[in-house]
Amino acid sequence: MKAIVYKKYGPPDVLKVTEVEKPIPKENQVLVKIHASSVNFGNLVLLKGEPFLARFAFGLFKPKYSIPGGDISGTVEAVGKDVTQFQPGDEVFGDLSGCGWGGFAEYAAVPEKSLALKPANLTFEEAAAVPMAGVTALQSMRDKGKIQPGQKVLINGASGGVGTFAVQIAKSFGAEVTGVCSTRNVDILQALGADHIIDYSKEKFTANNQQYDLILGVNGHQPLSDYKRALKDNGIFVHVGGSEAQMYQAMTMGLWISKTSKKKMGSFLQRPNQHDLIYLKELLETGKIKPVIDRQYRLEDLPEAFRYFEQGHAQGKVVITI
């Protein structure tokens, strides 16, 4: 089968289309013929080995996983003897980041717990845009941010992959949502139902003296002091993306702020979870959320897709058709 393989950390040019052995599913695995995948920030970390701390999980000197790619959607081709949830012909989607990656390929053999049935109203490309970004948005707000109906929520970086899902998921929880984005993305946030939109090229989110119950930092380079000022007492700031410096601030200074004030600040890493995939499937099928796709690339054009993605201006998700 065809797969994208890389043997060293580096720029997108290290990714090569290669013929590799088609996997055979083990007893608890499902063999999926992959129709689409998508690019996430985690894929960029896996590609470059940056920040360096990530190498303790992904391989210190060279990549531990030779085929990158987390999000997938496709059709079940075969199942192991212990698989109970799926059968050949089922259309599925899932996240392989917790079971060895391998999504940028024509086939993958994965544990059944990494998959869910694909939302019936979505194409394979749309479904592939959901798992990592959608689950990140859900877990960061529900589990870390303790989101509640009626709360005021600010999402900084609201027009990217995680951000577009976060706006919609926050609305599904009954929150009043403010999205921060650039001028060219205002229309997207309006279409997604954001209650208020701040164009960061025209004003800072701290300029209006508004305070929020929950702030999600998906992108940006603001100092933690800006977020702290914009939080209500007992408010929560969750860092899920942005500059590397901001990540370390959230892990260190955020811990100190959380211990010495009523405001809570910290970072968050998504954990693949089948139950959350199923939860998102229900939101997708009822029309409460929908994926936003910026661009689509073929598998052999993956390096170009990464070059575009790492610029940081994608409107929603970058999808790979296989």
Side-chain angles (χ1 to χ4, degrees):
M1 68 171 187
K2 286 183 180 179
I4 294 291
V5 174
Y6 75 132
K7 298 180 180 180
K8 61 181 180 180
Y9 295 119
D13 293 339
V14 302
L15 300 168
K16 305 296 181 184
V17 179
T18 308
E19 288 286 338
V20 301
E21 198 79 16
K22 181 178 172 181
I24 298 172
K26 297 177 182 178
E27 289 85 350
N28 68 332
Q29 288 185 327
V30 175
L31 179 65
V32 180
K33 179 176 174 57
I34 302 173
H35 299 308
S37 184
S38 70
V39 180
N40 296 279
F41 180 72
N43 304 138
L44 203 57
V45 172
L46 201 65
L47 171 67
K48 295 189 169 186
E50 297 173 356
F52 191 82
L53 282 176
R55 296 195 181 199
F56 289 97
F58 298 149
L60 195 57
F61 300 110
K62 64 179 183 178
K64 181 179 178 181
Y65 307 107
S66 59
I67 302 175
D71 290 337
I72 65 166
S73 67
T75 305
V76 174
E77 184 162 298
V79 299
K81 68 179 182 66
D82 294 337
V83 171
T84 60
Q85 299 181 52
F86 305 102
Q87 59 187 5
D90 284 345
E91 295 181 349
V92 295
F93 74 136
D95 176 4
L96 312 189
S97 64
C99 58
W101 302 79
F104 294 141
E106 292 181 318
Y107 291 89
V110 300
E112 62 177 334
K113 66 180 182 180
S114 300
L115 302 169
L117 291 173
K118 180 179 77 66
N121 59 331
L122 263 58
T123 65
F124 286 111
E125 288 77 16
E126 289 170 333
V130 175
M132 291 183 73
V135 170
T136 297
L138 174 64
Q139 292 179 348
S140 61
M141 292 189 295
R142 181 196 62 196
D143 303 340
K144 188 80 171 179
K146 311 299 181 186
I147 190 170
Q148 297 294 323
Q151 286 188 330
K152 295 177 68 173
V153 175
L154 177 79
I155 299 167
N156 189 19
S159 59
V162 173
T164 50
F165 283 113
V167 169
Q168 299 173 85
I169 292 171
K171 290 293 295 179
S172 78
F173 275 97
E176 179 183 331
V177 180
T178 299
V180 181
C181 66
S182 64
T183 304
R184 76 186 188 106
N185 295 320
V186 167
D187 290 346
I188 291 175
L189 296 196
Q190 287 176 336
L192 295 179
D195 298 290
H196 313 284
I197 301 170
I198 297 174
D199 180 346
Y200 67 73
S201 65
K202 297 179 180 179
E203 68 169 309
K204 293 184 177 181
F205 66 81
T206 54
N208 57 14
N209 295 318
Q210 289 288 323
Q211 288 191 309
Y212 302 90
D213 300 285
L214 170 61
I215 299 177
L216 201 64
V218 186
N219 201 358
H221 307 273
Q222 284 77 16
L224 245 58
S225 56
D226 283 353
Y227 289 117
K228 181 184 177 185
R229 191 160 61 252
L231 275 179
K232 294 180 180 180
D233 281 347
N234 300 312
I236 299 174
F237 166 74
V238 184
H239 173 273
V240 296
S243 69
E244 188 175 336
Q246 192 181 86
M247 178 186 73
Y248 288 122
Q249 280 186 5
M251 293 169 63
T252 54
M253 191 188 307
L255 182 63
W256 172 254
I257 291 170
S258 298
K259 287 182 177 296
T260 58
S261 76
K262 294 181 179 180
K263 302 177 181 184
K264 304 300 179 185
M265 310 188 80
S267 58
F268 173 82
L269 289 176
Q270 170 257 10
R271 293 171 177 81
N273 184 297
Q274 187 185 53
H275 294 294
D276 288 341
L277 273 180
I278 294 170
Y279 181 88
L280 291 175
K281 174 181 181 288
E282 294 170 354
L283 291 181
L284 290 156
E285 290 184 331
T286 55
K288 292 181 179 178
I289 66 173
K290 60 182 180 181
V292 176
I293 295 177
D294 183 349
R295 297 187 182 185
Q296 296 185 34
Y297 293 84
R298 299 176 302 167
L299 183 64
E300 52 266 40
D301 297 324
L302 187 63
E304 182 183 346
F306 266 96
R307 281 190 285 270
Y308 174 68
F309 179 81
E310 67 182 343
Q311 293 173 13
H313 301 304
Q315 298 172 301
K317 292 300 299 291
V318 175
V319 170
I320 309 302
T321 56
I322 298 172

